[in-house]
Amino acid sequence: MNLHEYQARALLRHAGIPVPDGDVADTPAGVEAIARRLGGGVVVKAQVHTGGRGKAGGVKLAADPAEARRVAEQILALTIKGLPVRKVLVAPVAEIASESYVGIILDRETQRPVFMVSAAGGVDIEEVAATTPEKIVKLAVDPRYGLLPHEATTLGFALYRDVKQVRAAARIMEQLYRAFMESGATLAEINPLVTTPAGEVVALDAKISIDDNELERRPDLAALRDPTAEAPSEVQAREAGLTFIKLDGNVGCVVNGAGLSMATMDLVKYYGGEPANFLDIGGSSNPEKVVNALRIITADPSVRAILFNIFGGITRTDDVANGIVAAMQRFPVPVPIVIRLTGTNEREAVRILEAVGMTALNDMDEAVQQVVALAKEAA
Ligand code: GDP
Ligand code: MN
């Protein structure tokens, strides 16, 4: 679950990290009122779950409340990477002398939180990672001991020369690490961490992702979820009990089991296609799940063809076949469907599909090749 910047800022502030004051609004008039209360220049920032807002026109400075209102009108009308802007953060503008990057990710390979810091921060950290990875300093933390003082100092020296700033940064590293661990985050990022002309070190942007498995025991964090800011397909899928992740390709995928789902996406890519989603209908046998899955996938305009890959065990393939038939009776499915199924009640499933003029394949490679070809034809 991703937090909004304003929520992440509050968490960091609570951890003791210097973060400018600020407030959120969802109307230009609300923005103007906050700007008046703060006094002086402000920055108005789109609150959407994606980076690169600056480049997309979602972060703008305003000298006075009237201008803040005008830029808020523009920003609240934006859609950034498919996400409509519904809220903006208004904060006093900070003067920037330097911008650096500080992040912690949960590295599943080493099973450790890994710090990544770079003096080349700001908006282009992805580019830094791609072209000059040596400018990013990495440090894996042993969770048994936490971030040790000398490690925090090392990270501080990776960013600054001035000893006061190094100390300030080291302290921020320790606070960020604690916030990361205590919130069950998979990612905590400050970009930019700036120095001001007066020499202060301040966090101007914050991004935190919480592990969904943490939410059960952290109702306070779960309450921060903003369904209006998530992709509508992901919200529907969560409500329908499906594990769904929207991706960028055009081959819709309906699979049972996380492992088979991942293998299926690999195979789609192997045969030159791009999956439009990850969708695991789970182990239970319920035609309604299949109907919901198809409803969500067909609502995605980039989907050109749909692949079913079902390995019948606890999931009965006849239930899946019934779900497909039911879906096609209830709403239009405007793209071709390729069905591969095998296992429990397979013969029954084939009969159900053939009765409505559909066919089922048995071979996974063949099915994936077919659906990739169909998606390419229609693209
Ligand atoms: P992102 O593009 O989504 O990562 O949004 P950021 O919050 O990181 O803002 C992008 C850029 O806008 C930053 O790297 C800064 O250069 C600039 N910016 C953001 N807040 C301020 C501010 O308070 N003062 C100034 N001068 N620039 C800011
Ligand atoms: Mn940023």
Side-chain angles (χ1 to χ4, degrees), residues 121-336:
V123 288
D124 275 328
I125 194 64
E126 286 81 8
E127 184 158 339
V128 175
T131 57
T132 49
E134 70 279 1
K135 287 191 181 162
I136 298 180
V137 174
K138 291 188 187 177
L139 187 140
V141 179
D142 187 327
R144 289 172 298 183
Y145 312 123
L147 182 68
L148 299 171
H150 76 273
E151 294 174 326
T153 308
T154 301
L155 292 171
F157 272 113
L159 301 184
Y160 307 120
R161 299 241 169 104
D162 178 274
V163 173
K164 259 180 33 209
Q165 290 179 343
V166 170
R167 282 207 195 103
R171 191 143 179 259
I172 290 170
M173 304 292 170
E174 288 174 344
Q175 290 162 327
L176 185 67
Y177 179 78
R178 205 169 311 126
F180 174 89
M181 295 302 277
E182 281 175 4
S183 58
T186 53
L187 173 127
E189 194 182 87
I190 302 173
N191 186 31
L193 180 71
V194 304
T195 55
T196 65
E200 254 140 2
V201 182
V202 182
L204 282 204
D205 186 13
K207 181 174 177 193
I208 294 180
S209 303
I210 310 284
D211 190 328
D212 283 341
N213 297 309
E214 193 74 22
L215 300 176
E216 194 86 25
R217 59 179 173 194
R218 290 297 301 271
D220 56 326
L221 293 175
L224 298 177
R225 189 189 283 285
D226 176 4
T228 66
E230 298 179 324
S233 52
E234 294 193 4
V235 177
Q236 276 178 33
R238 194 172 52 245
E239 282 163 4
L242 303 164
T243 308
F244 176 90
I245 292 154
K246 168 99 187 79
L247 301 169
D248 296 329
N250 60 9
V251 179
C253 299
V254 185
V255 191
N256 69 313
L260 186 61
S261 297
M262 285 193 277
T264 305
M265 334 226 69
D266 282 349
L267 211 57
V268 167
K269 287 188 89 102
Y270 178 79
Y271 285 120
E274 282 295 333
N277 66 277
F278 172 101
L279 192 154
D280 171 11
I281 59 169
S284 84
S285 241
N286 182 350
E288 277 309 306
K289 277 200 170 177
V290 175
V291 174
N292 284 326
L294 269 176
R295 201 191 302 276
I296 290 161
I297 289 177
T298 51
D300 177 353
S302 49
V303 169
R304 294 282 173 269
I306 298 172
L307 170 69
F308 273 79
N309 186 14
I310 306 297
F311 185 84
I314 298 170
T315 304
R316 289 168 34 186
T317 59
D318 57 325
D319 275 339
V320 174
N322 278 324
I324 296 171
V325 173
M328 311 219 4
Q329 284 164 354
R330 286 192 226 167
F331 50 86
V333 179
V335 296

Side-chain angles (χ1 to χ4, degrees), residues 5 9 20 42-48 50-56 58-61 89 91-96 99 121-124 189-192 194 204-206:
E5 178 193 359
R9 279 179 172 229
V42 294
V43 57
V44 182
K45 309 179 74 179
Q47 298 298 286
V48 281
T50 177
R53 295 166 303 166
K55 284 191 172 167
V59 177
K60 289 210 160 101
L61 306 184
L89 169 71
V93 70
E95 277 187 80
I96 300 178
E99 299 190 60
V123 288
D124 275 328
E189 194 182 87
I190 302 173
N191 186 31
V194 304
L204 282 204
D205 186 13

Side-chain angles (χ1 to χ4, degrees), residues 70-93:
R70 280 198 300 280
V71 302
E73 263 160 29
Q74 295 165 12
I75 295 176
L76 284 164
L78 289 177
T79 296
I80 303 177
K81 295 183 191 163
L83 301 166
V85 180
R86 295 200 165 89
K87 271 185 261 183
V88 292
L89 169 71
V90 189
V93 70

